[in-house]
Amino acid sequence: MQSTFRTAIQFAGFMLATSPAHALLITPNFDSSITGNANALLIENSINSAIGTLNSLYSNPTTISVNFSYKAASAGNLLSTTQYYYDVSYGSYVNALRNIANNNPRNTVLATALGNLGQGNDANGSRDIAVASGLYGMLGLGTPATPAPSININSSQPFSFGQSTGNTQYDLIGGLEHELDEVLGGGGAGSTLNGVYYGNAFFASKFGPLDLYRYQAPGTPSFTTSSGASSYYSIDGGRTSIVAFNQSPNGDFGDFGQNCFATGSNQLIQDAFACKGPMELYTASSPEYTMLESIGWNPFASSVSPVPLPSSDLLFAPGLAVLAISLKRSGRRSTTSASSARTA
């Protein structure tokens, strides 16, 4: 764990003041459940801090509006994301990624991932890809429909609001970064397995962007909802395991499978389940950064991610869920709305 303290006000102010002009720009819209809350400033600062981190990391010139609310939800829920998905042909999706790679040679992660598609799921390109609206728009596949993606913070949970969390509160900034990754098409939004598990017709016979990098062994892709299986994220055909994927239907299959209940510390932003206490700081060294690079989000010249190394010390464990009108995450639940639009 790099730090146990986050200051939302200072962090947000710095990021908003230095955000590059031609880069990702996530703009927040605050619901009255936030603006009318006694802790409105703290909540808004936490949101701005999380947004500032992602805006500072990715150079794609894209603007994404996100609606935020602070309302009570079910007991096992921390945060939730609702957004549209699009049916995109494999050829159109991969061509869009190739255009990104050709125009952005610093994204070596994407180049490696594209070079190994022939070893992963959908190697023959027979299935369409389900793409979340933020990624859909950034890749130039079309104009996302309204409403914009929305993120709800469960007001019934004890959050840190950017202050030192100790072990009695959940890290709100880390949780928001988790959900914003999903808005960008990563994490739970990057797999169709939850939709398959819950029988959602839209996700049937489709893969998600991260499913193309899901392996059980070198050269052997994985696409199963069996809780007894093991799977991991790899951009080089399965030779290098960057991080374990969650393999529990109680969590998002596209999230990470590290078990904070077992490790007690070093919670990754994209872990399927959250424990009370601080999460990792989101930097160019985070596995989440590599994850988004591999689906088309580009680094700045000063923040190129390092070559990923094997992560044999990571645990495969239950995680979160995303899809089919509602999914869950030990505190983070992702709700998805499927669009009928298809890019041929």
Side-chain angles (χ1 to χ4, degrees), residues 1-6 78-79 159-160 163-167 169-179 181 255-256 258 260 264-283 286 288 320 329-332:
M1 179 60 56
Q2 299 180 26
S3 173
T4 59
F5 184 80
R6 301 182 186 210
L78 285 180
L79 300 100
F159 282 108
S160 61
Q163 302 304 310
S164 179
T165 61
N167 293 311
Q169 296 173 308
Y170 291 105
D171 186 340
L172 179 56
I173 294 176
L176 288 163
E177 290 168 349
H178 175 107
E179 300 301 323
D181 275 350
D255 281 336
F256 300 161
Q258 179 176 263
C260 64
S265 63
N266 192 36
Q267 296 187 67
L268 300 178
I269 295 297
Q270 219 58 43
D271 281 347
F273 286 105
C275 293
K276 292 178 180 177
M279 303 177 73
E280 68 165 352
L281 295 182
Y282 197 154
T283 71
S286 303
E288 292 82 2
L320 156 60
R329 171 181 210 277
S330 167
R332 298 169 198 164

Side-chain angles (χ1 to χ4, degrees), residues 8-87:
I9 297 176
Q10 294 177 351
F11 201 67
F14 175 77
M15 289 302 180
L16 292 177
T18 61
S19 183
H22 301 290
L24 169 65
L25 179 62
I26 299 172
T27 60
N29 302 308
F30 301 126
D31 181 78
S32 59
S33 58
I34 293 177
T35 58
N37 190 280
N39 291 315
L41 182 60
L42 290 173
I43 298 170
E44 291 176 17
N45 282 332
S46 294
I47 292 170
N48 285 330
S49 177
I51 287 175
T53 295
L54 271 74
N55 283 348
S56 73
L57 287 174
Y58 303 107
S59 63
N60 308 67
T62 302
T63 299
I64 300 175
S65 178
V66 181
N67 300 319
F68 291 89
S69 58
Y70 184 70
K71 300 177 180 179
S74 60
N77 179 283
L78 285 180
L79 300 100
S80 61
T81 297
T82 301
Q83 60 185 330
Y84 280 100
Y85 285 72
Y86 294 83
D87 181 352

Side-chain angles (χ1 to χ4, degrees), residues 218-291:
T220 306
S222 171
F223 191 71
T224 175
T225 59
S226 171
S227 60
S230 293
S231 61
Y232 58 90
Y233 166 61
S234 177
I235 61 171
D236 61 1
R239 291 184 296 279
T240 302
S241 171
I242 297 173
V243 65
F245 273 124
N246 165 56
Q247 199 59 50
S248 168
N250 293 323
D252 282 349
F253 287 105
D255 281 336
F256 300 161
Q258 179 176 263
N259 188 344
C260 64
F261 298 101
T263 63
S265 63
N266 192 36
Q267 296 187 67
L268 300 178
I269 295 297
Q270 219 58 43
D271 281 347
F273 286 105
C275 293
K276 292 178 180 177
M279 303 177 73
E280 68 165 352
L281 295 182
Y282 197 154
T283 71
S285 298
S286 303
E288 292 82 2
Y289 190 68
T290 302
M291 172 188 73

Side-chain angles (χ1 to χ4, degrees), residues 105-125:
R106 288 192 181 92
N107 194 340
T108 56
V109 167
L110 178 57
T112 299
L114 286 171
N116 287 277
L117 287 177
Q119 300 180 67
N121 288 311
D122 213 7
N124 60 3

